[in-house]
Amino acid sequence: MALLKSCSCFCSNCLGDIDSPSKIYFCLDCDSTMCNSCKTVHGKITTLIGHSVIKYEEVNSFPTISLMQAIKCYRHHGEKREFYCSDHCSSFCFTCFLQDHRRCEHSERIEKIANDLNQSVRLEEIINKTEKQQISLKTMHDYKSSNLQALKEERPKLEAEMSALIEKIIAMYYQLLMKRATY
């Protein structure tokens, strides 16, 4: 499953590796990742001043479908971006898909990626709940096992006490019978 947060990032401008996720920036208008130095230069170029540059970490906080489809393809103006390629860390329109990304292993429709992400979040929640229930069941099992073990250890002692009481009752019964027989 290709996700926005899964690509290994490098600066689209200087092509340098970015060593920390917190140092990655993303231009929503250019659809490019950039390092801090290139972000600074990007903000000084007159034609790029109005671009929306955000921290790459924040990209995942936007509704994915709305974010990518709201941005028009920079090569095929007017066409909505419907695909995302994690091999190239970019979103693009259907025409770009046919021209440049048909052979990419991780090109998928943005809508599918968003649905897969939602399903994986739900699956994680189910797994977490299941793990919590498993811990709770294990705790209950351990508690019952320790109680059962304690009962098993007490059983011989209780049986001995009951036998002693039974013998005492029988002895008292015989004493009463003897007293009654002597009257």
Side-chain angles (χ1 to χ4, degrees), residues 13-178:
N13 299 310
C14 70
L15 301 178
D17 287 333
I18 303 173
D19 60 350
S20 169
S22 63
K23 295 179 183 175
I24 304 170
Y25 295 91
F26 186 76
C27 178
L28 297 173
D29 299 289
C30 296
D31 186 32
S32 63
T33 54
M34 60 187 81
C35 63
N36 193 39
S37 300
C38 290
K39 175 193 162 266
T40 304
V41 172
H42 187 84
K44 292 180 180 177
I45 298 172
T46 308
T47 56
L48 305 177
I49 289 176
H51 284 200
S52 300
V53 178
I54 61 172
K55 284 192 168 225
Y56 193 74
E57 298 167 330
E58 295 172 8
V59 169
N60 291 315
S61 66
F62 290 98
T64 308
I65 297 171
S66 304
L67 175 69
M68 292 305 186
Q69 288 184 347
I71 303 169
K72 304 294 182 196
C73 179
Y74 68 94
R75 288 177 52 199
H76 303 100
H77 301 287
E79 289 193 46
K80 289 182 178 178
R81 296 181 188 192
E82 300 177 61
F83 294 86
Y84 182 78
C85 176
S86 62
D87 295 339
H88 297 102
C89 295
S90 63
S91 61
F92 42 86
C93 68
F94 183 69
T95 306
C96 288
F97 172 75
L98 292 175
Q99 291 175 352
D100 304 324
H101 297 276
R102 270 190 318 206
R103 292 197 168 100
C104 294
E105 285 188 41
H106 301 103
S107 286
E108 294 186 70
R109 286 192 167 277
I110 292 170
E111 189 172 353
K112 181 187 182 314
I113 294 168
N115 289 337
D116 289 350
L117 179 61
N118 287 336
Q119 287 176 357
S120 71
V121 167
R122 279 186 243 127
L123 182 60
E124 266 185 53
E125 290 172 359
I126 291 169
I127 289 170
N128 286 339
K129 285 180 183 178
T130 304
E131 286 173 350
K132 287 178 183 177
Q133 288 177 342
Q134 186 178 12
I135 290 168
S136 177
L137 287 172
K138 183 173 178 4
T139 302
M140 288 171 37
H141 178 267
D142 292 347
Y143 178 74
K144 287 183 178 187
S145 292
S146 68
N147 283 345
L148 183 61
Q149 184 62 32
L151 286 172
K152 284 180 180 178
E153 290 171 4
E154 287 289 315
R155 184 177 182 165
K157 180 180 171 185
L158 292 172
E159 286 175 344
E161 288 177 10
M162 286 173 55
S163 292
L165 285 172
I166 290 170
E167 286 178 21
K168 194 173 181 180
I169 291 171
I170 290 173
M172 290 171 74
Y173 177 71
Y174 282 124
Q175 283 178 356
L176 284 173
L177 284 177
M178 295 298 264

